[in-house]
Short mmCIF file of all heavy atoms in Angstrom, two decimals:
data_model
loop_
_atom_site.label_atom_id
_atom_site.label_comp_id
_atom_site.label_asym_id
_atom_site.label_seq_id
_atom_site.Cartn_x
_atom_site.Cartn_y
_atom_site.Cartn_z
N ARG L 1 -182.93 60.06 216.95
CA ARG L 1 -181.85 61.03 216.80
C ARG L 1 -180.48 60.40 217.09
O ARG L 1 -179.52 60.66 216.38
CB ARG L 1 -182.13 62.21 217.73
CG ARG L 1 -181.14 63.31 217.57
CD ARG L 1 -181.77 64.62 218.02
NE ARG L 1 -180.91 65.73 217.86
CZ ARG L 1 -180.67 66.35 216.72
NH1 ARG L 1 -181.21 65.91 215.62
NH2 ARG L 1 -179.90 67.38 216.68
N TRP L 2 -180.41 59.56 218.12
CA TRP L 2 -179.12 58.97 218.46
C TRP L 2 -178.62 58.05 217.34
O TRP L 2 -177.43 57.95 217.11
CB TRP L 2 -179.21 58.21 219.79
CG TRP L 2 -180.08 56.99 219.73
CD1 TRP L 2 -181.41 56.91 220.01
CD2 TRP L 2 -179.69 55.68 219.32
NE1 TRP L 2 -181.87 55.64 219.81
CE2 TRP L 2 -180.83 54.85 219.39
CE3 TRP L 2 -178.49 55.12 218.91
CZ2 TRP L 2 -180.81 53.51 219.06
CZ3 TRP L 2 -178.46 53.77 218.58
CH2 TRP L 2 -179.61 52.98 218.66
N LEU L 3 -179.57 57.40 216.66
CA LEU L 3 -179.18 56.50 215.58
C LEU L 3 -178.57 57.28 214.42
O LEU L 3 -177.57 56.86 213.83
CB LEU L 3 -180.38 55.67 215.12
CG LEU L 3 -180.10 54.58 214.10
CD1 LEU L 3 -179.07 53.59 214.62
CD2 LEU L 3 -181.39 53.86 213.75
N VAL L 4 -179.16 58.41 214.09
CA VAL L 4 -178.63 59.25 213.01
C VAL L 4 -177.23 59.73 213.38
O VAL L 4 -176.31 59.69 212.55
CB VAL L 4 -179.57 60.45 212.75
CG1 VAL L 4 -178.92 61.44 211.79
CG2 VAL L 4 -180.90 59.97 212.20
N GLU L 5 -177.04 60.12 214.62
CA GLU L 5 -175.71 60.57 215.06
C GLU L 5 -174.69 59.43 214.98
O GLU L 5 -173.55 59.64 214.60
CB GLU L 5 -175.80 61.14 216.47
CG GLU L 5 -176.56 62.44 216.53
CD GLU L 5 -176.87 62.88 217.96
OE1 GLU L 5 -176.48 62.18 218.91
OE2 GLU L 5 -177.51 63.93 218.10
N GLU L 6 -175.13 58.23 215.33
CA GLU L 6 -174.26 57.06 215.26
C GLU L 6 -173.85 56.78 213.81
O GLU L 6 -172.68 56.51 213.51
CB GLU L 6 -174.98 55.84 215.85
CG GLU L 6 -174.13 54.62 215.99
CD GLU L 6 -173.13 54.70 217.14
OE1 GLU L 6 -173.27 55.56 218.01
OE2 GLU L 6 -172.20 53.89 217.13
N PHE L 7 -174.80 56.85 212.90
CA PHE L 7 -174.50 56.66 211.48
C PHE L 7 -173.55 57.74 210.97
O PHE L 7 -172.61 57.45 210.23
CB PHE L 7 -175.78 56.66 210.64
CG PHE L 7 -176.42 55.31 210.53
CD1 PHE L 7 -177.67 55.08 211.07
CD2 PHE L 7 -175.79 54.27 209.88
CE1 PHE L 7 -178.28 53.84 210.97
CE2 PHE L 7 -176.39 53.02 209.77
CZ PHE L 7 -177.63 52.81 210.32
N GLN L 8 -173.80 58.97 211.34
CA GLN L 8 -172.93 60.06 210.91
C GLN L 8 -171.49 59.84 211.37
O GLN L 8 -170.54 60.15 210.66
CB GLN L 8 -173.44 61.40 211.43
CG GLN L 8 -174.65 61.92 210.71
CD GLN L 8 -175.17 63.19 211.33
OE1 GLN L 8 -175.11 63.39 212.54
NE2 GLN L 8 -175.70 64.07 210.48
N ARG L 9 -171.34 59.28 212.54
CA ARG L 9 -170.02 59.08 213.11
C ARG L 9 -169.31 57.87 212.49
O ARG L 9 -168.11 57.92 212.22
CB ARG L 9 -170.16 58.91 214.63
CG ARG L 9 -168.90 59.03 215.41
CD ARG L 9 -169.10 59.10 216.92
NE ARG L 9 -170.21 58.35 217.46
CZ ARG L 9 -171.36 58.91 217.91
NH1 ARG L 9 -171.54 60.21 217.86
NH2 ARG L 9 -172.32 58.15 218.42
N ASN L 10 -170.03 56.78 212.25
CA ASN L 10 -169.40 55.52 211.85
C ASN L 10 -169.50 55.17 210.38
O ASN L 10 -168.66 54.42 209.87
CB ASN L 10 -169.99 54.37 212.68
CG ASN L 10 -169.62 54.49 214.13
OD1 ASN L 10 -168.48 54.73 214.46
ND2 ASN L 10 -170.60 54.36 215.00
N LEU L 11 -170.50 55.65 209.68
CA LEU L 11 -170.69 55.26 208.29
C LEU L 11 -169.52 55.62 207.38
O LEU L 11 -169.12 54.79 206.55
CB LEU L 11 -172.00 55.84 207.76
CG LEU L 11 -172.53 55.21 206.48
CD1 LEU L 11 -172.71 53.71 206.64
CD2 LEU L 11 -173.85 55.86 206.09
N PRO L 12 -168.91 56.80 207.51
CA PRO L 12 -167.77 57.09 206.63
C PRO L 12 -166.64 56.07 206.77
O PRO L 12 -166.05 55.66 205.76
CB PRO L 12 -167.32 58.48 207.08
CG PRO L 12 -168.56 59.10 207.65
CD PRO L 12 -169.29 57.96 208.32
N ALA L 13 -166.35 55.62 207.97
CA ALA L 13 -165.29 54.63 208.15
C ALA L 13 -165.70 53.28 207.56
O ALA L 13 -164.88 52.56 206.99
CB ALA L 13 -164.94 54.47 209.63
N GLU L 14 -166.97 52.92 207.69
CA GLU L 14 -167.46 51.65 207.14
C GLU L 14 -167.41 51.64 205.61
O GLU L 14 -167.27 50.59 205.00
CB GLU L 14 -168.89 51.37 207.61
CG GLU L 14 -168.99 51.05 209.08
CD GLU L 14 -168.33 49.74 209.45
OE1 GLU L 14 -168.38 48.79 208.64
OE2 GLU L 14 -167.75 49.66 210.53
N LEU L 15 -167.55 52.79 205.01
CA LEU L 15 -167.55 52.88 203.55
C LEU L 15 -166.17 53.19 202.96
O LEU L 15 -166.04 53.34 201.75
CB LEU L 15 -168.57 53.94 203.09
CG LEU L 15 -170.02 53.59 203.39
CD1 LEU L 15 -170.94 54.73 202.99
CD2 LEU L 15 -170.43 52.30 202.69
N ASP L 16 -165.17 53.29 203.81
CA ASP L 16 -163.80 53.50 203.36
C ASP L 16 -163.17 52.12 203.18
O ASP L 16 -162.74 51.48 204.13
CB ASP L 16 -163.02 54.31 204.39
CG ASP L 16 -161.57 54.51 204.01
OD1 ASP L 16 -161.11 53.92 203.00
OD2 ASP L 16 -160.86 55.24 204.73
N PHE L 17 -163.12 51.65 201.94
CA PHE L 17 -162.68 50.28 201.68
C PHE L 17 -161.18 50.08 201.86
O PHE L 17 -160.73 48.96 202.08
CB PHE L 17 -163.17 49.80 200.33
CG PHE L 17 -164.65 49.60 200.31
CD1 PHE L 17 -165.47 50.37 199.51
CD2 PHE L 17 -165.25 48.65 201.11
CE1 PHE L 17 -166.84 50.20 199.51
CE2 PHE L 17 -166.62 48.46 201.13
CZ PHE L 17 -167.42 49.24 200.32
N GLU L 18 -160.40 51.14 201.79
CA GLU L 18 -158.98 51.00 202.13
C GLU L 18 -158.85 50.67 203.62
O GLU L 18 -158.04 49.84 204.01
CB GLU L 18 -158.20 52.26 201.78
CG GLU L 18 -158.00 52.43 200.29
CD GLU L 18 -157.30 53.72 199.95
OE1 GLU L 18 -157.39 54.70 200.72
OE2 GLU L 18 -156.64 53.75 198.90
N ASN L 19 -159.66 51.32 204.44
CA ASN L 19 -159.69 51.04 205.87
C ASN L 19 -160.14 49.60 206.12
O ASN L 19 -159.55 48.88 206.93
CB ASN L 19 -160.61 52.03 206.58
CG ASN L 19 -160.63 51.84 208.07
OD1 ASN L 19 -159.58 51.84 208.71
ND2 ASN L 19 -161.81 51.67 208.63
N GLU L 20 -161.18 49.16 205.41
CA GLU L 20 -161.66 47.78 205.56
C GLU L 20 -160.60 46.77 205.13
O GLU L 20 -160.45 45.72 205.73
CB GLU L 20 -162.95 47.58 204.75
CG GLU L 20 -164.14 48.32 205.33
CD GLU L 20 -164.50 47.85 206.74
OE1 GLU L 20 -164.60 46.63 206.96
OE2 GLU L 20 -164.66 48.71 207.61
N ALA L 21 -159.84 47.11 204.07
CA ALA L 21 -158.78 46.22 203.61
C ALA L 21 -157.68 46.10 204.67
O ALA L 21 -157.16 45.01 204.92
CB ALA L 21 -158.20 46.72 202.29
N ARG L 22 -157.32 47.22 205.29
CA ARG L 22 -156.32 47.17 206.37
C ARG L 22 -156.84 46.32 207.53
O ARG L 22 -156.08 45.55 208.13
CB ARG L 22 -155.97 48.58 206.83
CG ARG L 22 -155.07 49.34 205.86
CD ARG L 22 -154.57 50.64 206.45
NE ARG L 22 -155.66 51.57 206.73
CZ ARG L 22 -156.18 52.43 205.86
NH1 ARG L 22 -155.71 52.48 204.62
NH2 ARG L 22 -157.16 53.25 206.21
N ASN L 23 -158.12 46.46 207.84
CA ASN L 23 -158.71 45.63 208.91
C ASN L 23 -158.65 44.15 208.56
O ASN L 23 -158.36 43.31 209.41
CB ASN L 23 -160.16 46.04 209.17
CG ASN L 23 -160.27 47.38 209.86
OD1 ASN L 23 -159.33 47.83 210.50
ND2 ASN L 23 -161.42 48.01 209.74
N ALA L 24 -158.92 43.81 207.29
CA ALA L 24 -158.86 42.41 206.86
C ALA L 24 -157.44 41.86 207.02
O ALA L 24 -157.25 40.73 207.46
CB ALA L 24 -159.33 42.29 205.41
N GLU L 25 -156.44 42.67 206.67
CA GLU L 25 -155.06 42.22 206.83
C GLU L 25 -154.69 42.07 208.30
O GLU L 25 -153.94 41.18 208.68
CB GLU L 25 -154.11 43.18 206.13
CG GLU L 25 -154.18 43.05 204.62
CD GLU L 25 -153.12 43.84 203.90
OE1 GLU L 25 -152.62 44.85 204.46
OE2 GLU L 25 -152.80 43.45 202.76
N ARG L 26 -155.24 42.94 209.15
CA ARG L 26 -154.99 42.82 210.59
C ARG L 26 -155.60 41.53 211.14
O ARG L 26 -154.97 40.83 211.94
CB ARG L 26 -155.52 44.05 211.32
CG ARG L 26 -155.03 44.12 212.75
CD ARG L 26 -155.40 45.43 213.43
NE ARG L 26 -156.81 45.40 213.77
CZ ARG L 26 -157.69 46.32 213.41
NH1 ARG L 26 -157.34 47.35 212.69
NH2 ARG L 26 -158.95 46.22 213.77
N ILE L 27 -156.81 41.19 210.70
CA ILE L 27 -157.44 39.95 211.12
C ILE L 27 -156.61 38.76 210.67
O ILE L 27 -156.38 37.81 211.42
CB ILE L 27 -158.88 39.86 210.58
CG1 ILE L 27 -159.76 40.88 211.31
CG2 ILE L 27 -159.44 38.46 210.71
CD1 ILE L 27 -161.11 41.08 210.68
N HIS L 28 -156.14 38.80 209.42
CA HIS L 28 -155.28 37.73 208.90
C HIS L 28 -154.04 37.55 209.77
O HIS L 28 -153.68 36.42 210.15
CB HIS L 28 -154.89 38.04 207.45
CG HIS L 28 -153.95 37.05 206.87
ND1 HIS L 28 -154.35 35.79 206.46
CD2 HIS L 28 -152.62 37.13 206.62
CE1 HIS L 28 -153.30 35.14 205.98
NE2 HIS L 28 -152.25 35.93 206.07
N ALA L 29 -153.39 38.65 210.12
CA ALA L 29 -152.19 38.59 210.96
C ALA L 29 -152.51 38.03 212.34
O ALA L 29 -151.73 37.25 212.90
CB ALA L 29 -151.56 39.98 211.07
N ASN L 30 -153.66 38.38 212.88
CA ASN L 30 -154.06 37.85 214.19
C ASN L 30 -154.25 36.34 214.13
O ASN L 30 -153.84 35.64 215.06
CB ASN L 30 -155.34 38.53 214.67
CG ASN L 30 -155.13 39.96 215.10
OD1 ASN L 30 -154.00 40.39 215.35
ND2 ASN L 30 -156.20 40.72 215.16
N PHE L 31 -154.87 35.84 213.07
CA PHE L 31 -155.03 34.39 212.93
C PHE L 31 -153.67 33.70 212.81
O PHE L 31 -153.46 32.63 213.37
CB PHE L 31 -155.89 34.04 211.72
CG PHE L 31 -157.36 34.09 211.99
CD1 PHE L 31 -158.19 34.86 211.19
CD2 PHE L 31 -157.94 33.37 213.02
CE1 PHE L 31 -159.56 34.91 211.42
CE2 PHE L 31 -159.29 33.40 213.26
CZ PHE L 31 -160.11 34.18 212.46
N LEU L 32 -152.73 34.30 212.09
CA LEU L 32 -151.41 33.70 211.94
C LEU L 32 -150.67 33.62 213.27
O LEU L 32 -149.92 32.67 213.51
CB LEU L 32 -150.57 34.49 210.93
CG LEU L 32 -150.97 34.38 209.47
CD1 LEU L 32 -150.07 35.27 208.62
CD2 LEU L 32 -150.93 32.95 208.99
N ARG L 33 -150.87 34.61 214.13
CA ARG L 33 -150.20 34.62 215.43
C ARG L 33 -150.89 33.75 216.47
O ARG L 33 -150.30 33.44 217.51
CB ARG L 33 -150.12 36.05 215.96
CG ARG L 33 -149.05 36.89 215.30
CD ARG L 33 -148.80 38.17 216.07
NE ARG L 33 -149.99 38.99 216.18
CZ ARG L 33 -150.36 39.94 215.30
NH1 ARG L 33 -149.62 40.17 214.25
NH2 ARG L 33 -151.44 40.65 215.50
N SER L 34 -152.12 33.38 216.21
CA SER L 34 -152.88 32.62 217.19
C SER L 34 -152.29 31.24 217.40
O SER L 34 -151.84 30.58 216.47
CB SER L 34 -154.34 32.48 216.73
OG SER L 34 -155.05 31.66 217.64
N THR L 35 -152.31 30.79 218.65
CA THR L 35 -151.85 29.44 218.97
C THR L 35 -153.02 28.47 219.07
O THR L 35 -152.80 27.27 219.27
CB THR L 35 -151.08 29.44 220.31
OG1 THR L 35 -151.93 29.94 221.34
CG2 THR L 35 -149.83 30.28 220.21
N HIS L 36 -154.22 28.97 218.91
CA HIS L 36 -155.40 28.10 218.98
C HIS L 36 -155.45 27.24 217.71
O HIS L 36 -155.32 27.75 216.60
CB HIS L 36 -156.67 28.94 219.10
CG HIS L 36 -157.86 28.13 219.50
ND1 HIS L 36 -158.52 27.31 218.61
CD2 HIS L 36 -158.49 28.01 220.68
CE1 HIS L 36 -159.52 26.72 219.23
NE2 HIS L 36 -159.53 27.13 220.49
N PRO L 37 -155.64 25.93 217.86
CA PRO L 37 -155.63 25.04 216.68
C PRO L 37 -156.69 25.39 215.64
O PRO L 37 -156.46 25.23 214.44
CB PRO L 37 -155.89 23.65 217.25
CG PRO L 37 -155.76 23.76 218.72
CD PRO L 37 -155.83 25.20 219.09
N ALA L 38 -157.83 25.87 216.06
CA ALA L 38 -158.90 26.21 215.11
C ALA L 38 -158.53 27.40 214.23
O ALA L 38 -159.05 27.55 213.13
CB ALA L 38 -160.20 26.50 215.86
N ALA L 39 -157.63 28.24 214.68
CA ALA L 39 -157.25 29.43 213.91
C ALA L 39 -156.62 29.05 212.58
O ALA L 39 -156.71 29.78 211.60
CB ALA L 39 -156.31 30.31 214.72
N ARG L 40 -155.97 27.90 212.52
CA ARG L 40 -155.32 27.45 211.29
C ARG L 40 -156.33 27.00 210.23
O ARG L 40 -155.99 26.82 209.09
CB ARG L 40 -154.35 26.31 211.59
CG ARG L 40 -153.26 26.67 212.55
CD ARG L 40 -152.23 27.58 211.88
NE ARG L 40 -151.17 27.89 212.82
CZ ARG L 40 -150.90 29.11 213.21
NH1 ARG L 40 -151.58 30.13 212.76
NH2 ARG L 40 -149.91 29.34 214.03
N ARG L 41 -157.57 26.81 210.63
CA ARG L 41 -158.59 26.35 209.69
C ARG L 41 -159.25 27.51 208.95
O ARG L 41 -160.03 27.29 208.04
CB ARG L 41 -159.65 25.55 210.44
CG ARG L 41 -159.07 24.29 211.07
CD ARG L 41 -160.05 23.53 211.89
NE ARG L 41 -161.21 23.18 211.08
CZ ARG L 41 -162.38 22.83 211.57
NH1 ARG L 41 -162.56 22.78 212.87
NH2 ARG L 41 -163.38 22.53 210.78
N PHE L 42 -158.95 28.74 209.33
CA PHE L 42 -159.56 29.91 208.71
C PHE L 42 -158.68 30.43 207.58
O PHE L 42 -157.46 30.48 207.71
CB PHE L 42 -159.77 31.03 209.74
CG PHE L 42 -160.89 30.76 210.69
CD1 PHE L 42 -160.66 30.11 211.88
CD2 PHE L 42 -162.18 31.14 210.37
CE1 PHE L 42 -161.69 29.85 212.77
CE2 PHE L 42 -163.22 30.88 211.24
CZ PHE L 42 -162.98 30.23 212.44
N ALA L 43 -159.32 30.80 206.49
CA ALA L 43 -158.61 31.43 205.38
C ALA L 43 -159.12 32.86 205.24
O ALA L 43 -160.32 33.11 205.36
CB ALA L 43 -158.86 30.67 204.09
N THR L 44 -158.22 33.77 205.04
CA THR L 44 -158.61 35.16 204.81
C THR L 44 -158.09 35.57 203.44
O THR L 44 -156.92 35.34 203.12
CB THR L 44 -158.04 36.09 205.89
OG1 THR L 44 -156.64 35.88 206.01
CG2 THR L 44 -158.69 35.84 207.24
N PRO L 45 -158.95 36.13 202.61
CA PRO L 45 -158.53 36.50 201.25
C PRO L 45 -157.47 37.59 201.26
O PRO L 45 -157.51 38.51 202.07
CB PRO L 45 -159.81 37.02 200.59
CG PRO L 45 -160.92 36.76 201.54
CD PRO L 45 -160.34 36.44 202.87
N ALA L 46 -156.51 37.46 200.36
CA ALA L 46 -155.48 38.49 200.20
C ALA L 46 -156.09 39.71 199.51
O ALA L 46 -156.96 39.59 198.65
CB ALA L 46 -154.32 37.95 199.38
N ILE L 47 -155.62 40.88 199.89
CA ILE L 47 -156.06 42.14 199.29
C ILE L 47 -155.22 42.40 198.04
O ILE L 47 -154.00 42.30 198.08
CB ILE L 47 -155.91 43.31 200.28
CG1 ILE L 47 -156.63 43.01 201.60
CG2 ILE L 47 -156.39 44.61 199.65
CD1 ILE L 47 -158.11 42.81 201.49
N ASN L 48 -155.86 42.74 196.95
CA ASN L 48 -155.15 43.16 195.74
C ASN L 48 -155.06 44.68 195.79
O ASN L 48 -155.95 45.40 195.33
CB ASN L 48 -155.92 42.68 194.50
CG ASN L 48 -155.16 42.93 193.23
OD1 ASN L 48 -154.36 43.85 193.15
ND2 ASN L 48 -155.43 42.11 192.24
N TRP L 49 -153.98 45.18 196.42
CA TRP L 49 -153.85 46.62 196.67
C TRP L 49 -153.84 47.48 195.41
O TRP L 49 -154.42 48.57 195.43
CB TRP L 49 -152.63 46.89 197.55
CG TRP L 49 -152.93 46.57 198.98
CD1 TRP L 49 -152.49 45.49 199.69
CD2 TRP L 49 -153.76 47.32 199.86
NE1 TRP L 49 -153.00 45.52 200.96
CE2 TRP L 49 -153.79 46.64 201.10
CE3 TRP L 49 -154.49 48.49 199.74
CZ2 TRP L 49 -154.49 47.09 202.20
CZ3 TRP L 49 -155.21 48.95 200.84
CH2 TRP L 49 -155.21 48.26 202.05
N PRO L 50 -153.23 47.07 194.30
CA PRO L 50 -153.27 47.94 193.11
C PRO L 50 -154.70 48.18 192.59
O PRO L 50 -154.95 49.16 191.90
CB PRO L 50 -152.43 47.18 192.07
CG PRO L 50 -151.53 46.33 192.87
CD PRO L 50 -152.32 45.93 194.10
N LEU L 51 -155.63 47.27 192.91
CA LEU L 51 -157.01 47.41 192.45
C LEU L 51 -157.96 47.82 193.57
O LEU L 51 -159.17 47.74 193.42
CB LEU L 51 -157.49 46.10 191.82
CG LEU L 51 -156.72 45.63 190.60
CD1 LEU L 51 -157.23 44.28 190.13
CD2 LEU L 51 -156.81 46.66 189.47
N THR L 52 -157.42 48.26 194.71
CA THR L 52 -158.23 48.67 195.85
C THR L 52 -158.10 50.17 196.06
O THR L 52 -157.02 50.73 195.91
CB THR L 52 -157.78 47.89 197.12
OG1 THR L 52 -158.05 46.50 196.91
CG2 THR L 52 -158.51 48.36 198.35
N SER L 53 -159.23 50.78 196.38
CA SER L 53 -159.24 52.22 196.66
C SER L 53 -160.23 52.46 197.80
O SER L 53 -160.80 51.53 198.36
CB SER L 53 -159.66 53.01 195.41
OG SER L 53 -161.04 52.79 195.15
N GLY L 54 -160.45 53.70 198.10
CA GLY L 54 -161.42 54.05 199.13
C GLY L 54 -162.84 53.63 198.78
O GLY L 54 -163.68 53.46 199.66
N ARG L 55 -163.09 53.43 197.50
CA ARG L 55 -164.44 53.07 197.05
C ARG L 55 -164.59 51.63 196.58
O ARG L 55 -165.69 51.15 196.38
CB ARG L 55 -164.87 54.02 195.93
CG ARG L 55 -164.99 55.46 196.42
CD ARG L 55 -165.42 56.36 195.32
NE ARG L 55 -166.72 55.90 194.82
CZ ARG L 55 -167.62 56.67 194.30
NH1 ARG L 55 -167.40 57.95 194.20
NH2 ARG L 55 -168.76 56.19 193.86
N VAL L 56 -163.47 50.93 196.38
CA VAL L 56 -163.50 49.55 195.87
C VAL L 56 -162.47 48.72 196.63
O VAL L 56 -161.34 49.15 196.80
CB VAL L 56 -163.16 49.50 194.36
CG1 VAL L 56 -163.06 48.07 193.88
CG2 VAL L 56 -164.18 50.27 193.55
N ILE L 57 -162.89 47.55 197.07
CA ILE L 57 -161.94 46.61 197.66
C ILE L 57 -161.91 45.37 196.77
O ILE L 57 -162.95 44.84 196.38
CB ILE L 57 -162.30 46.25 199.12
CG1 ILE L 57 -161.24 45.35 199.74
CG2 ILE L 57 -163.66 45.61 199.22
CD1 ILE L 57 -161.42 45.15 201.24
N THR L 58 -160.70 44.95 196.39
CA THR L 58 -160.54 43.78 195.53
C THR L 58 -159.74 42.74 196.31
O THR L 58 -158.64 43.01 196.77
CB THR L 58 -159.81 44.15 194.23
OG1 THR L 58 -160.49 45.25 193.61
CG2 THR L 58 -159.77 42.97 193.28
N MET L 59 -160.35 41.56 196.45
CA MET L 59 -159.74 40.49 197.22
C MET L 59 -159.71 39.21 196.39
O MET L 59 -160.51 39.05 195.48
CB MET L 59 -160.56 40.25 198.49
CG MET L 59 -160.77 41.49 199.33
SD MET L 59 -162.09 41.29 200.53
CE MET L 59 -161.20 40.49 201.83
N GLU L 60 -158.79 38.31 196.75
CA GLU L 60 -158.75 37.03 196.07
C GLU L 60 -160.00 36.23 196.42
O GLU L 60 -160.61 36.43 197.48
CB GLU L 60 -157.50 36.24 196.45
CG GLU L 60 -157.56 35.60 197.81
CD GLU L 60 -156.41 34.68 198.10
OE1 GLU L 60 -156.03 33.88 197.22
OE2 GLU L 60 -155.89 34.75 199.23
N PHE L 61 -160.37 35.32 195.54
CA PHE L 61 -161.49 34.42 195.81
C PHE L 61 -160.97 33.24 196.62
O PHE L 61 -159.96 32.62 196.26
CB PHE L 61 -162.12 33.92 194.52
CG PHE L 61 -163.23 32.93 194.76
CD1 PHE L 61 -164.48 33.36 195.16
CD2 PHE L 61 -162.99 31.58 194.64
CE1 PHE L 61 -165.49 32.45 195.41
CE2 PHE L 61 -164.00 30.66 194.87
CZ PHE L 61 -165.25 31.10 195.27
N VAL L 62 -161.64 32.95 197.71
CA VAL L 62 -161.29 31.79 198.54
C VAL L 62 -162.52 30.92 198.64
O VAL L 62 -163.56 31.34 199.15
CB VAL L 62 -160.82 32.21 199.95
CG1 VAL L 62 -160.57 31.00 200.82
CG2 VAL L 62 -159.59 33.09 199.87
N ASP L 63 -162.43 29.70 198.11
CA ASP L 63 -163.55 28.77 198.17
C ASP L 63 -163.63 28.18 199.56
O ASP L 63 -162.61 27.81 200.14
CB ASP L 63 -163.35 27.67 197.13
CG ASP L 63 -164.61 26.87 196.87
OD1 ASP L 63 -165.71 27.36 197.19
OD2 ASP L 63 -164.49 25.75 196.38
N GLY L 64 -164.81 28.11 200.11
CA GLY L 64 -164.97 27.54 201.44
C GLY L 64 -166.37 27.77 201.96
O GLY L 64 -167.31 28.00 201.20
N VAL L 65 -166.51 27.71 203.27
CA VAL L 65 -167.79 27.93 203.94
C VAL L 65 -167.61 29.06 204.93
O VAL L 65 -166.49 29.38 205.36
CB VAL L 65 -168.30 26.66 204.65
CG1 VAL L 65 -168.58 25.56 203.66
CG2 VAL L 65 -167.32 26.20 205.71
N LYS L 66 -168.73 29.66 205.33
CA LYS L 66 -168.69 30.71 206.33
C LYS L 66 -168.29 30.13 207.69
O LYS L 66 -168.61 28.97 208.00
CB LYS L 66 -170.04 31.40 206.45
CG LYS L 66 -170.40 32.21 205.22
CD LYS L 66 -171.71 32.93 205.46
CE LYS L 66 -172.08 33.77 204.26
NZ LYS L 66 -173.32 34.50 204.48
N ALA L 67 -167.64 30.93 208.48
CA ALA L 67 -167.18 30.48 209.79
C ALA L 67 -168.35 30.06 210.69
O ALA L 67 -168.18 29.21 211.56
CB ALA L 67 -166.37 31.57 210.47
N ASN L 68 -169.51 30.62 210.46
CA ASN L 68 -170.66 30.29 211.32
C ASN L 68 -171.51 29.16 210.75
O ASN L 68 -172.58 28.87 211.26
CB ASN L 68 -171.51 31.52 211.59
CG ASN L 68 -172.12 32.10 210.32
OD1 ASN L 68 -171.84 31.62 209.21
ND2 ASN L 68 -172.92 33.12 210.48
N ASP L 69 -171.02 28.48 209.71
CA ASP L 69 -171.75 27.35 209.12
C ASP L 69 -171.42 26.10 209.94
O ASP L 69 -170.39 25.45 209.74
CB ASP L 69 -171.34 27.16 207.65
CG ASP L 69 -172.13 26.07 206.96
OD1 ASP L 69 -172.94 25.38 207.62
OD2 ASP L 69 -171.91 25.89 205.75
N ALA L 70 -172.30 25.75 210.87
CA ALA L 70 -172.04 24.65 211.80
C ALA L 70 -172.00 23.29 211.10
O ALA L 70 -171.30 22.39 211.55
CB ALA L 70 -173.10 24.63 212.89
N ALA L 71 -172.70 23.15 210.00
CA ALA L 71 -172.71 21.86 209.30
C ALA L 71 -171.35 21.63 208.68
O ALA L 71 -170.85 20.53 208.60
CB ALA L 71 -173.77 21.87 208.22
#
């Protein structure tokens, strides 16, 4: 029961892609402000706002590896 309540509370926000796009931009801004040298090695895709809605998020393609790829 608690899991269903958790999904009911959080799933709408997770499926709101405009909200996710704002979060992505916030993460990008945090990396730019960071003084940690490793922060400069991260790339965050730009949001294409004219093609983004609550149901679709459109981002630039950034070639690279996942942050957790230790190799």
Side-chain angles (χ1 to χ4, degrees):
R1 185 156 182 78
W2 67 268
L3 186 58
V4 171
E5 291 169 1
E6 187 74 16
F7 273 115
Q8 285 176 325
R9 194 170 33 254
N10 293 313
L11 196 56
E14 290 294 324
L15 294 176
D16 177 354
F17 291 115
E18 287 177 334
N19 183 55
E20 290 298 312
R22 285 189 297 274
N23 288 339
E25 287 188 335
R26 192 172 75 235
I27 289 168
H28 176 75
N30 288 342
F31 277 125
L32 289 178
R33 283 193 301 270
S34 176
T35 58
H36 194 284
R40 300 287 181 241
R41 297 176 57 198
F42 286 91
T44 52
I47 305 299
N48 187 332
W49 282 105
L51 299 176
T52 296
S53 71
R55 295 181 59 150
V56 174
I57 185 171
T58 307
M59 305 164 84
E60 76 172 317
F61 177 78
V62 175
D63 195 19
V65 296
K66 292 184 179 181
N68 63 355
D69 184 355

